[in-house]
Amino acid sequence: GEEDYVVVYYYLIVALLIGMITFKIINTMKLSVPYTVAVFVEGFVVGGVHYEFFEASTGNFGNSLEMWVGINPHLLLYSLLPILIFGDSMKLNFEIVKGCTLQCLLLAGPGVLFGSLATAFFAQYALPYGWDFKTALCFGSILSATDPVAVVGLLNELGCSKVLSMQIAGESLLNDGTAMAVWTVAFNMMKGTEYTVAELFKTFCQLALAGFALGILWGAL
């Protein structure tokens, strides 16, 4: 068989080709389907077809897909997320951002924290899984960090206020730090770690605010 370092590119190349073709079709035919939704559906179909019909007989392509499914989640997070955030931040209009910075910070800070807690309570008491609050809080922190790319694209197409679009886009760039801080604390508590109020504040500052401050510093330089 071929070396793993060659096989791993099979799925990546096919996925990129599908994405480019989809983007071209949507723009050429002026379809109203958001690109991110179309790509999500295509990925869902590819995965479903593979596991349902061809899991044992797709050869190198199937092996490549399995490699990507089994990729280290931390590698995926730390390699792709900074690039996505940087790419979105380069599209921001600085003049509009200055006028809605406070709203973005409120949505990405207290807003995400409230969303995480509300989702955690719902998951603990409404879902039939018997989770304790720490597990439910992990679940809530994951769902609270939204990525409204399709929503912002739709707002732009409908001619909505640029300030509203910028508030949504700006919040999505900042909410990852808050969500990661909440998830880290909840996950550590699941493993038995206990926090004081001061330790919670210190952890939040390190995970959520330190990166924000470092970004401002590099931007200023």
Side-chain angles (χ1 to χ4, degrees), residues 127-179:
L127 298 182
Y129 302 123
W131 289 340
D132 59 15
F133 182 72
K134 299 171 186 176
T135 305
L137 186 58
C138 284
F139 176 75
S141 66
I142 294 172
L143 295 186
S144 64
T146 57
D147 184 16
V149 176
V151 176
V152 173
L154 186 60
L155 289 176
N156 291 333
E157 291 178 6
L158 295 175
C160 294
S161 168
K162 292 184 178 180
V163 174
L164 175 61
S165 298
M166 195 60 61
Q167 288 174 347
I168 297 175
E171 186 274 340
S172 72
L173 291 174
L174 300 173
N175 63 18
D176 295 297
T178 305

Side-chain angles (χ1 to χ4, degrees), residues 179-203:
M180 185 169 288
V182 175
W183 185 88
T184 300
V185 170
F187 183 72
N188 289 338
M189 291 173 64
M190 284 176 57
K191 297 191 296 183
T193 304
E194 297 183 357
Y195 289 95
T196 63
V197 175
E199 290 172 338
L200 284 174
F201 180 76
K202 178 182 177 181
T203 301

Side-chain angles (χ1 to χ4, degrees), residues 82-93 147 149 169 172-173:
I83 298 174
L84 294 173
I85 293 177
F86 177 78
D88 286 342
S89 64
M90 291 298 292
K91 301 176 185 177
L92 298 179
N93 186 314
D147 184 16
V149 176
S172 72
L173 291 174

Side-chain angles (χ1 to χ4, degrees), residues 85-106:
I85 293 177
F86 177 78
D88 286 342
S89 64
M90 291 298 292
K91 301 176 185 177
L92 298 179
N93 186 314
F94 183 69
E95 295 301 322
I96 300 179
V97 170
K98 286 195 301 183
C100 57
T101 300
L102 180 60
Q103 296 95 319
C104 293
L105 291 175
L106 288 174

Side-chain angles (χ1 to χ4, degrees), residues 1-11 13 58-64 67:
E2 298 186 48
E3 298 291 341
D4 287 347
Y5 66 84
V6 176
V7 173
V8 72
Y9 288 106
Y10 285 18
Y11 175 73
I13 293 172
T58 46
N60 286 329
F61 178 78
N63 294 334
S64 178
M67 290 178 184

